Amino acid sequence: MNAPATGFSLAHLKVACSNCNLRELCLPLGLTLPDIEKLEELVSTRRKVKRGESLFRAGDRFESLYAVRLGFLKSTVMSTDGREQVTGFHMAGELVGMDGISGEQHSCDTVALEDTEVCVIPYERLEDVAGSVPVLRNHFHKVMSREIVREHGVMLLLGSMHAEERLAAFLLNLSQRFEARGYSRTEFVLRMTRAEIGSFLGLKLETVSRVLSRFAQEGLLEVNQKHVRILNADGLRAIVSGHGTSCESGS
Amino acid sequence: MNAPATGFSLAHLKVACSNCNLRELCLPLGLTLPDIEKLEELVSTRRKVKRGESLFRAGDRFESLYAVRLGFLKSTVMSTDGREQVTGFHMAGELVGMDGISGEQHSCDTVALEDTEVCVIPYERLEDVAGSVPVLRNHFHKVMSREIVREHGVMLLLGSMHAEERLAAFLLNLSQRFEARGYSRTEFVLRMTRAEIGSFLGLKLETVSRVLSRFAQEGLLEVNQKHVRILNADGLRAIVSGHGTSCESGS
DNA sequence: CGTTTCGTTGAAGAGTGTCAAGGCCAGTGG
DNA sequence: CCACTGGCCTTGACACTCTTCAACGAAACG
């Protein structure tokens, strides 16, 4: 917005991890100054992705990981017969593209749901730096492991929860992630459509809509299109944990 | 079987990765001899886990990864309210325990479904070796990435497939993994119960049983309790890909 | 050989999906 | 500024898949 992107939205800007306000989310604590310098050499470019455009697609040659600076993205996988599944939503401070490491190419699509900016991390260089900076190497492993654990949670959700529980868990998860980034945990905008929420949660968009309406009717939320305000977080938590009515306080 | 396990099923046996017949599954190609020596120093012990016992549990302090030498395991996560979800089944040549890296402790239970033997890989030492052996570091990253991609596939399955499609995909996946290990791809034994299959696939055990019976009735399989013989793999593939009837050949 | 775990099958019911119609909102062009 | 358009969301009625509950049979284990 403030500076026009060059050509194919590749902005060759000087990166300064040391000044980045996402430091706590993105990097390990206790990096020494020389370590940070190696890192800044590694993360040399940024890239802007406009809403609707893709950061990478399944089949693209894998070259880099991406750290989200600002914006919002989704990742999707597609089956041979064309079914699409949203595997995750990504926001500032998160690392995307790790699916590509295993093969020579990406196995999912990652698309910006709003205008987005990422730090480009050339993977070959990351491998090198990981060899010489133990703290960073360990941090990288933790990030990948966290992704595995996150996906375990999604499997639990998809495999054993009802529509209401899935939605409640989803909203609480978003709430928590917004809060961690300094935004309100009770009031936020859903950057994705009902269909995308549904795909992620293994539901149809109509079901998502219905459940949101039901939550609103029960006083748990206020919903106004993409705008959501959580009125009773404990109520949502109760729903996630086995369907306790509202506050587990009586009835 | 051949040698009695010491005390707590901790067998201090000399490990020889260079002779291990799982080399192709477990290790990167092109390791130099000195690299392999470092590796064998790293993987110094084995551990036996009897059927029904757990390799580790959620909450256990994370110390090691494990490479399955022989046997069969399942991993499960549990929600706060007690719902259990099987997140994966593991067989020879696969690496388990990566969930533990992100925190200081494991986040899932991993239990042997038949008598199992694993190579213990102390994680701190792995971190060190990963620093000095680039090929191994890269391989390790690929293994973690592959796990992420695998879970994407499970999410696709859980989020967008019907019971028949899930089961067909599951059987084909098992078939392929058995084949990669030199076993028959058409005839094998299910080491897990119907309930465990159901948990993994987000179905109830009755549904699993019914669908298996239906497959058998349609001539796709022979099922005899845990013993399965695949008669028409293409038929199963057709089911996974959008429900083509048997062979896509007519009706 | 009894006990327990596991698997199969049926009938009824709940939870989502499907189909369809209509409303809301932002962006566009007159 | 207003009408128009298309995408997104909401809501209802109905269909269908899967679950639930229950009974029984088969295999595994001590």
Side-chain angles (χ1 to χ4, degrees):
Chain A
M1 269 284 175
N2 28 14
T6 69
F8 263 74
S9 72
L10 250 163
H12 290 272
L13 300 166
K14 178 68 185 164
V15 172
C17 296
S18 43
N19 287 334
C20 181
N21 54 8
L22 294 170
R23 224 167 48 252
E24 293 81 25
L25 288 168
C26 178
L27 290 178
L29 302 166
L31 271 185
T32 64
L33 228 105
D35 287 349
I36 292 197
E37 274 167 18
K38 282 192 188 175
L39 186 70
E40 291 185 354
E41 199 175 332
L42 171 66
V43 185
S44 54
T45 64
R46 291 187 191 153
R47 183 173 151 196
K48 294 190 177 185
V49 188
K50 288 223 192 80
R51 179 188 155 147
E53 291 179 351
S54 58
L55 179 58
F56 55 80
R57 291 172 211 246
D60 282 0
R61 180 174 168 70
F62 169 68
E63 283 168 339
S64 305
L65 298 178
Y66 306 93
V68 182
R69 275 181 58 78
L70 52 90
F72 202 88
L73 307 107
K74 69 168 177 181
S75 287
T76 59
V77 291
M78 195 137 102
S79 63
T80 48
D81 59 315
R83 269 178 292 217
E84 193 179 272
Q85 171 76 24
V86 172
T87 57
F89 298 105
H90 316 290
M91 42 206 287
E94 293 174 351
L95 196 67
V96 300
M98 295 178 288
D99 62 287
I101 299 172
S102 66
E104 302 294 296
Q105 54 185 41
H106 284 286
S107 64
C108 66
D109 292 16
T110 296
V111 178
L113 296 183
E114 63 178 30
D115 290 1
T116 291
E117 193 177 323
V118 298
C119 293
V120 180
I121 306 172
Y123 183 65
E124 287 198 0
R125 275 197 258 168
L126 174 61
E127 277 285 328
D128 289 345
V129 175
S132 57
V133 186
V135 187
L136 206 83
R137 171 169 73 246
N138 185 252
H139 182 73
F140 177 48
H141 295 160
K142 285 188 174 175
V143 170
M144 293 201 88
S145 172
R146 200 180 309 145
E147 176 67 9
I148 291 172
V149 172
R150 180 190 76 81
E151 295 190 356
H152 284 174
V154 177
M155 288 169 66
L156 178 67
L157 183 148
L158 290 173
S160 72
M161 289 188 178
H162 287 180
E164 294 201 345
E165 301 169 328
R166 294 184 197 187
L167 229 355
F170 174 69
L171 291 170
L172 289 170
N173 176 275
L174 276 186
S175 165
Q176 177 221 315
R177 284 158 78 193
F178 280 123
E179 185 181 20
R181 281 153 186 82
Y183 300 109
S184 167
R185 72 177 161 195
T186 56
E187 201 168 348
F188 46 83
V189 172
L190 300 173
R191 263 69 188 230
M192 69 296 278
T193 66
R194 302 289 190 264
E196 285 160 342
I197 297 174
S199 171
F200 181 59
L201 298 178
L203 302 169
K204 293 299 160 186
L205 67 94
E206 293 94 332
T207 305
V208 173
S209 181
R210 268 186 261 269
V211 172
L212 286 178
S213 300
R214 211 178 304 155
F215 282 174
Q217 205 179 336
E218 290 166 1
L220 295 164
L221 305 173
E222 270 177 33
V223 185
N224 222 298
Q225 301 291 120
K226 306 235 182 210
H227 191 101
V228 172
R229 176 184 294 169
I230 297 180
L231 299 175
N232 182 355
D234 283 331
L236 290 176
R237 273 185 276 274
I239 288 177
V240 176
S241 302
H243 226 137
T245 318
S246 273
C247 280
E248 208 70 51
S249 62
S251 76
Chain B
M1 269 280 176
N2 27 16
T6 67
F8 263 75
S9 73
L10 249 163
H12 292 271
L13 300 164
K14 178 68 187 166
V15 171
C17 296
S18 44
N19 286 334
C20 180
N21 53 9
L22 294 171
R23 222 163 54 250
E24 293 81 26
L25 288 169
C26 179
L27 289 179
L29 303 166
L31 271 184
T32 64
L33 230 104
D35 287 348
I36 293 196
E37 274 166 18
K38 281 192 189 175
L39 186 71
E40 291 184 357
E41 199 176 331
L42 171 66
V43 186
S44 54
T45 64
R46 291 190 191 151
R47 183 173 150 194
K48 294 191 177 185
V49 186
K50 288 222 192 81
R51 180 188 153 146
E53 291 178 350
S54 58
L55 179 58
F56 55 81
R57 290 172 212 246
D60 282 1
R61 181 176 166 69
F62 170 66
E63 282 167 339
S64 305
L65 297 177
Y66 306 93
V68 181
R69 277 181 57 78
L70 52 91
F72 202 88
L73 307 106
K74 68 167 177 181
S75 287
T76 60
V77 290
M78 195 138 99
S79 63
T80 48
D81 59 316
R83 269 178 292 218
E84 195 180 271
Q85 171 75 26
V86 172
T87 57
F89 298 105
H90 316 289
M91 43 206 287
E94 294 174 350
L95 195 66
V96 301
M98 294 177 288
D99 62 289
I101 299 172
S102 65
E104 301 294 294
Q105 53 186 40
H106 284 285
S107 63
C108 68
D109 293 15
T110 296
V111 177
L113 296 182
E114 63 178 30
D115 291 1
T116 291
E117 195 176 322
V118 298
C119 294
V120 179
I121 307 173
Y123 184 65
E124 287 198 1
R125 274 197 259 168
L126 174 59
E127 277 286 328
D128 289 345
V129 176
S132 57
V133 186
V135 186
L136 205 83
R137 172 170 73 246
N138 186 251
H139 182 74
F140 177 48
H141 295 161
K142 285 189 174 176
V143 170
M144 294 200 89
S145 172
R146 201 181 308 144
E147 176 67 8
I148 290 172
V149 172
R150 181 190 73 83
E151 296 190 355
H152 284 174
V154 177
M155 288 169 66
L156 177 67
L157 183 148
L158 289 173
S160 71
M161 289 188 178
H162 288 178
E164 293 199 346
E165 300 169 329
R166 295 185 195 188
L167 229 353
F170 174 70
L171 291 169
L172 289 171
N173 176 275
L174 276 185
S175 164
Q176 177 220 315
R177 285 156 78 192
F178 280 122
E179 184 181 20
R181 281 153 186 81
Y183 300 109
S184 168
R185 72 179 162 193
T186 56
E187 202 168 348
F188 46 85
V189 173
L190 301 172
R191 263 66 190 232
M192 69 297 279
T193 66
R194 301 289 191 262
E196 285 161 341
I197 297 174
S199 170
F200 180 60
L201 298 179
L203 302 169
K204 294 297 159 187
L205 67 93
E206 293 95 329
T207 305
V208 173
S209 181
R210 267 186 261 269
V211 172
L212 285 177
S213 299
R214 212 178 305 156
F215 282 174
Q217 205 178 334
E218 290 166 1
L220 295 165
L221 305 173
E222 271 178 32
V223 185
N224 222 297
Q225 301 290 120
K226 307 233 182 211
H227 190 103
V228 172
R229 176 183 296 168
I230 295 179
L231 299 175
N232 182 356
D234 283 330
L236 290 177
R237 274 185 276 273
I239 287 177
V240 176
S241 302
H243 226 137
T245 318
S246 273
C247 282
E248 208 70 48
S249 62
S251 78

